[in-house]
Amino acid sequence: MKRYFALLFLLSLTVVLSGCGEEGQERSPFEEVNPLEGLQLQAKPGTVTPTGMTVVFCNTTERDDFIYGVWYCIEEKRDGAWYTIPPLLEEYKLVGGGPTVGYEVPSASAIEAGVSNEMEYDWSLPFGTLEPGEYRLLTIVNCMVERPNCKDYFMTAEFSIGKTDS
């Protein structure tokens, strides 16, 4: 049953998302990010490199029904605005935009209340080596599908390349 919900969650991403897989950098379509008080996504200090990083999901809420999939995109900050970075290879684009998985992880992982989860991202194949600048990794957090009024929450972890540690 959980596999069904995880598959449904991932399929919904292909319909909901567009923009991260466009040719050329375009302005980010994600205006409302990090809307959940008590749920944070952060770059783990000391892990940021031009080709990847470890992200920490921290849940201090009472809810234990949040899940995250493997979909993500990278955005670059220029002139105070966020722009999407398109994947380098066609295989890393979904119908709705964004890369597919470049490494093996479960299709969705539970984020339990009061604990943090770490996930390593290696974007060398989907996005290449990032130049010095300000970036954010954007992913989706959702509640289990059977919960009423379930929706997607766009979460970001901001980081810098070639500047002080993120």
Side-chain angles (χ1 to χ4, degrees):
M1 191 66 147
K2 284 188 177 186
R3 284 184 182 220
Y4 169 76
F5 292 124
L7 179 60
L8 186 59
F9 170 72
L10 291 176
L11 288 175
S12 72
L13 296 180
T14 62
V15 174
V16 170
L17 300 175
S18 63
C20 285
E22 302 290 327
E23 293 297 322
Q25 288 188 355
E26 297 195 14
R27 191 125 188 204
S28 174
F30 304 104
E31 293 180 16
E32 183 183 357
V33 297
N34 307 320
L36 295 171
E37 190 170 328
L39 188 65
Q40 297 176 351
L41 184 64
Q42 301 172 349
K44 185 176 180 178
T47 68
V48 177
T49 72
T51 59
M53 73 176 169
T54 300
V55 170
V56 179
F57 292 87
C58 186
N59 180 9
T60 60
T61 71
E62 294 297 316
R63 292 179 55 181
D64 63 357
D65 64 339
F66 292 116
I67 59 172
Y68 60 95
V70 295
W71 180 89
Y72 71 98
C73 72
I74 302 290
E75 296 183 331
E76 180 180 17
K77 191 173 191 178
R78 292 192 327 250
D79 300 323
W82 292 103
Y83 291 85
T84 61
I85 297 178
L88 298 173
L89 303 172
E90 194 66 33
E91 305 83 79
Y92 285 89
K93 296 179 185 176
L94 295 175
V95 173
T100 59
V101 183
Y103 47 87
E104 289 187 31
V105 295
S107 60
S109 300
I111 303 174
E112 298 175 10
V115 300
S116 63
N117 293 2
E118 293 185 2
M119 185 163 175
E120 292 183 27
Y121 289 90
D122 177 355
W123 55 71
S124 58
L125 190 54
F127 299 105
T129 301
L130 299 180
E131 298 294 324
E134 295 181 53
Y135 297 92
R136 69 181 182 184
L137 181 141
L138 185 137
T139 192
I140 296 174
V141 173
N142 200 320
C143 53
M144 295 302 287
V145 176
E146 67 266 7
R147 184 179 175 102
N149 302 318
C150 185
K151 66 181 255 183
D152 293 332
Y153 299 100
F154 300 102
M155 305 295 293
T156 63
E158 294 186 21
F159 61 98
S160 296
I161 302 290
K163 298 181 180 185
T164 59
D165 282 347
S166 298

